Amino acid sequence: MSFITRGFSGRSRDRDPRLPPGQTLTEDWPVLSAGPTPRVTPADWSFSVQTENGTKTWSWDELRALGLEDITTDIHCVTHWTKLQMPWRGVPLDAVFSEVETAHEFVMAHSYGGYTTNVPLEDLLDGKSWIAFEADGEPLDPEHGGPARLLVPHLYFWKSAKWVKGLVTMPTDDPGFWEQNGYHLHGDPWREERYW
Ligand SMILES: Nc1nc2c(c(=O)[nH]1)N[C@H]1C(S)=C(S)[C@@H](COP(=O)(O)O)O[C@H]1N2
Ligand SMILES: [Mo]
């Protein structure tokens, strides 16, 4: 009897069902940056959303006043590591877009330092993304995107732009930095949307 159940349930028992295909668990938190770490202080930091109707900008205090939430979520890097149940704190993009009107369906996230990444607006709304200020109960380290980064945990982590400074809405899904270099336009880890 054991030889029947072994190959079967042994496999699914070993593999955590929270792990997307091709991913392995990590306990630490690797740093992955395409360039040097920009040094931005909360006093220097602001966040803008530019749409076809104009640009709205929030200071550090104004953005945080939109309402901080605590989130516990898994994160998945395209380089095959997954970190489970990480605590984060940030302002949901729903709160930002409640103050912005656009008919565009896509956004380009822009970072201090020049990094960009494209995301469909529907992947940012309905509780799916945040401007994050803290992780593991501490202000974000500069290496991890401090003082503030985008957090879009249901997509591969390259979509979670560190040192985020704003979003520009777009009528079409134009590729950002890694997407122009072969990464998938969308990046769903459950569909293994790694490269294209
Ligand atoms: N501004 C900026 N954001 C970025 C990157 C980057 O190079 N610059 N790298 C991306 C990639 S590829 C990953 S996997 C994650 C890594 O975040 P971490 O260094 O906090 O683990 O940030 C993403 N956001
Ligand atoms: Mo990455």
Side-chain angles (χ1 to χ4, degrees):
M1 187 160 161
S2 60
F3 72 88
I4 296 174
T5 51
R6 228 169 150 191
F8 233 89
S9 54
R11 234 179 125 153
S12 52
R13 250 191 242 123
D14 294 350
R15 192 164 170 85
D16 193 308
R18 295 170 297 181
L19 264 184
Q23 297 293 107
T24 54
L25 286 177
T26 182
E27 293 298 327
D28 57 0
W29 188 7
V31 171
L32 285 124
S33 301
T37 296
R39 302 288 157 169
V40 187
T41 66
D44 298 333
W45 185 89
S46 67
F47 184 78
S48 302
V49 177
Q50 182 188 320
T51 72
E52 73 277 30
N53 301 310
T55 302
K56 185 166 170 74
T57 303
W58 296 262
S59 69
W60 175 263
D61 289 337
E62 287 166 345
L63 202 284
R64 291 167 61 95
L66 295 180
L68 290 160
E69 291 180 356
D70 290 307
I71 316 110
T72 300
T73 188
D74 305 342
I75 58 174
H76 314 286
C77 177
V78 73
T79 62
H80 300 276
W81 55 264
T82 285
K83 200 166 155 51
L84 296 175
Q85 295 294 287
M86 258 195 103
W88 292 83
R89 177 166 247 228
V91 170
L93 269 288
D94 296 300
V96 171
F97 277 92
S98 72
E99 304 200 346
V100 169
E101 285 282 337
T102 181
H104 291 164
E105 290 182 10
F106 304 95
V107 309
M108 188 71 79
H110 290 260
S111 296
Y112 293 94
Y115 185 84
T116 55
T117 188
N118 57 297
V119 189
L121 191 49
E122 69 166 8
D123 280 288
L124 295 182
L125 302 182
D126 295 322
K128 293 204 281 285
S129 79
W130 294 266
I131 306 294
F133 299 95
E134 294 176 24
D136 290 327
E138 303 282 344
L140 276 176
D141 282 338
E143 288 71 22
H144 286 299
R149 75 181 295 167
L150 194 59
L151 174 66
V152 195
H154 73 290
L155 299 178
Y156 282 124
F157 210 37
W158 87 78
K159 297 291 185 180
S160 294
K162 302 197 276 191
W163 318 294
V164 70
K165 71 169 184 185
L167 307 176
V168 179
T169 66
M170 314 184 284
T172 55
D173 199 10
D174 300 338
F177 173 75
W178 280 119
E179 294 83 3
Q180 288 172 41
N181 286 284
Y183 281 30
H184 197 279
L185 267 187
H186 184 231
D188 181 344
W190 294 97
R191 296 180 176 173
E192 284 209 84
E193 293 173 343
R194 297 176 190 275
Y195 312 105
W196 66 311

